[in-house]
Amino acid sequence: MSSKKSPARAVRRGKPARRAPLSRERVLRAAVELADEEGLAALSMRRLAQALGVEAMSLYNHVTSKDDVLDGMVDLVVGEIEAPEVGGDWKAAIRRRAVSAHAVLLRHRWASQLVVSCLNIGPAMRRYVDATIGCLHAAGFSYALADRAWNAIDSHIYGFTLQALNFPLAPGEYAAAAQQFLHLIPPEQYPHMHALSRLVIDGKHDGLQDFTFGLDLLLDGLERLLERNKAAV
């Protein structure tokens, strides 16, 4: 039996796998993956280049700076959020938007802080904001009220998400923590905190933060405001 390798097999084994060409989208998606896996603090141009298997200087053919990378990352994340449709049931559409945003921001734990601290004007963000304002305006809100409405809802989204991401207790630890600190809130001095903590300890109340509870309060309030404004016209 001959021990020679076929030419085709030799070529296949010796030829490295073709790597996808570098592009702005590929750079940004790699940055998102890196931040998801290792946190935003781990992201640097050098580390990003390593993840892509290229020299750091190659990145600057597609992004201008690290700030440009961060802006692009935010826009990719915003593009994952369900934007509301203009027309139809505005309340249901805005509720889906908020629930979707909360879920996306929990998935990308680093993103909330960037969204609230940077001026984000990427194409996905522009479409997202325009659709939100359009949905509210089509429902009858003036542009000024639509602006206040979506900002109030977004404050709930980002504030609640940041709190959920940074809260020091896991849901399963609430009852044990309440038991541990119960001696610090004696009933004769803090009757209401003590009574609530007892409910958590006894399993009669889970004590969990509820994103949709606050969201529905906001939406119900906006609906009443809209009805009053329409009646006044």
Side-chain angles (χ1 to χ4, degrees), residues 70-222:
L70 295 175
D71 289 342
M73 292 166 65
V74 168
D75 210 51
L76 280 180
V77 169
V78 170
E80 297 179 21
I81 301 173
E82 179 181 349
E85 293 184 5
V86 177
D89 187 340
W90 72 269
K91 193 174 176 183
I94 294 294
R95 191 181 194 278
R96 285 194 302 271
R97 169 196 183 272
V99 171
S100 174
H102 182 52
V104 168
L105 294 172
L106 288 179
R107 189 160 63 246
H108 302 289
R109 300 174 62 88
W110 49 271
S112 294
Q113 189 61 49
L114 280 183
V115 172
V116 301
S117 63
C118 299
L119 184 61
N120 306 298
I121 55 172
M125 178 64 82
R126 295 197 299 269
R127 288 191 296 270
Y128 175 62
V129 173
D130 189 73
T132 301
I133 296 172
C135 176
L136 292 167
H137 187 256
F141 291 89
S142 68
Y143 279 122
L145 280 180
D147 183 43
R148 291 184 175 180
W150 78 266
N151 276 288
I153 292 167
D154 277 11
S155 293
H156 176 66
I157 294 169
Y158 300 131
F160 193 100
T161 303
L162 285 167
Q163 179 175 275
L165 290 172
N166 292 282
F167 198 69
L169 296 175
E173 299 172 334
Y174 281 26
Q179 181 67 65
Q180 179 183 355
F181 295 109
L182 191 64
H183 69 281
L184 297 175
I185 49 172
E188 61 275 8
Q189 193 171 1
Y190 307 101
H192 310 299
M193 288 180 67
H194 188 93
L196 179 58
S197 296
R198 277 290 181 192
L199 291 177
V200 175
I201 292 168
D202 296 340
K204 296 178 181 178
H205 174 58
D206 59 22
L208 300 180
Q209 304 159 8
D210 187 345
F211 175 75
T212 56
F213 179 81
L215 174 61
D216 288 336
L217 287 178
L218 278 169
L219 292 173
D220 288 346
L222 289 171

